Amino acid sequence: MNTKVERVEGSVVNLEINVPNEKFREALKKSYVKNVGKFNIPGFRKGKAPMAMIEKQYGEGVFYEDAIELVCDETYPVAVKENELLPVDYPNIDVVQIGKDVDFIYTAKVTVKPEVKLGQYMEVEVNKVEYPVTDEDVNGELNSMREKNGRIINVEDGVIENGNIAVIDFEGFVDEVPFEGGKGENYELTIGSGTFIPGFEEQLIGAKVGESKDVNVNFPEDYGAEDLKGKSAIFKVTVKEIKTKELPELDDELAKDVSEFDTLEELKADIKSKQEENNSKKAKKDFENQVVTKVVDASEIEIPEVMVDREVEYMVKDLDYRLKYQGMDIQKYTEMMGITVDAIKNDFKDMAKTRVKTNLVLEAIAKAENITATDEEVERRADELAAMYGTKDTQKMKESILNTQGEIIKEELANNKVIDFLVNSSVIVE
């Protein structure tokens, strides 16, 4: 088998593969065995007619289709491996020469991984990243604890104030016609939460229990429901109840109620310690992102569109997977948001392109610096993933993970090593 490789444009290559006639004849025989039962030839039982008789009646090319598929399936991967190509898409096959007495010649046009022209990746200068914990941060967490442990009480006399919970009945009208989804009963609305359309909550401030009033609003231009975008509406609202949240005092008793600590000072110290740990992790991640972004921006790559499209498809599937954990799917989500899957794909495109470029650059650096993940490291990661599934037979789960995701895990671990390598060689600018 002989192969000629020609780079057509960008990352597209054309392989011309010459398959010896003997090999093509073998494929024809296999095609005959596979298809002989489909033919009825006078004088022969079905499935017993000789190959020559079938070709005589139906033409020499009657067995070509399956023979071509057999030969291409066998020879294309060999040609790709021999020429050290890394396809990122399926090939487009065209037959150049075919016949029982000639070599079989075909071309395979395919997109391969692009060449990466690395820029500076050693000693990259990046800004120092720090996220100090302030008293305001600690007090914010303490106030959240007070909110969670607050006691809801009814306001018997008085009016709705910002922060109150108003229990309301409401119905919305556009041009005096009620619209779908615009009605609710005994709805608990926290005033100032921004839950409803802009302007709605503010107009309830000052209302008393039992009072009815008209609330005038305009739906935003980017509202989810197409038939309500930019429309003016009137909501007829009746206030049923007014509630407020009574917060506990910020003292040692609160510390005892919400934690294992006896004093407020101990609780504050614990909150600060945990926030410092979280901020340290965030700073480390943001610093790594700075380094990687600078290295990627300094590199030059002509990214094939097919790689971006595949990453977009992966991102949409991942979104669908996460939505299902919330009792939803991509279809329900798009209907609720008033958008299309194509719109989501379009929004993902820039992010997908950045991901693809980043992975290609990290891969190129790994190759240049001979950075790899060992089999032992891949196995350890597979052990961790198997344990996360919580199945009884973790060994079987591990084997399944290695079979289906082994190469992906190896690539991710290598990329992490490359990032560590880049960070360690970077120069911090205060």
Side-chain angles (χ1 to χ4, degrees), residues 134-144 250 268 271 275:
T134 65
D135 290 341
E136 287 78 9
D137 296 328
V138 175
N139 290 332
E141 181 63 23
L142 284 170
N143 285 328
S144 294
L250 197 58
K268 282 183 176 181
I271 291 171
Q275 288 184 337

Side-chain angles (χ1 to χ4, degrees), residues 9-11 112-116 300-305 307 360:
E9 55 180 348
S11 298
V112 298
K113 275 190 178 180
E115 293 180 6
V116 179
E300 294 180 21
I301 318 172
E302 188 176 328
I303 302 172
E305 198 65 26
M307 293 187 77
L360 288 170

Side-chain angles (χ1 to χ4, degrees), residues 377-393:
E377 289 168 333
V378 174
E379 288 217 14
R380 277 201 299 272
R381 181 57 181 154
D383 280 327
E384 292 170 5
L385 293 172
M388 287 168 61
Y389 281 95
T391 58
K392 291 181 179 179
D393 195 344

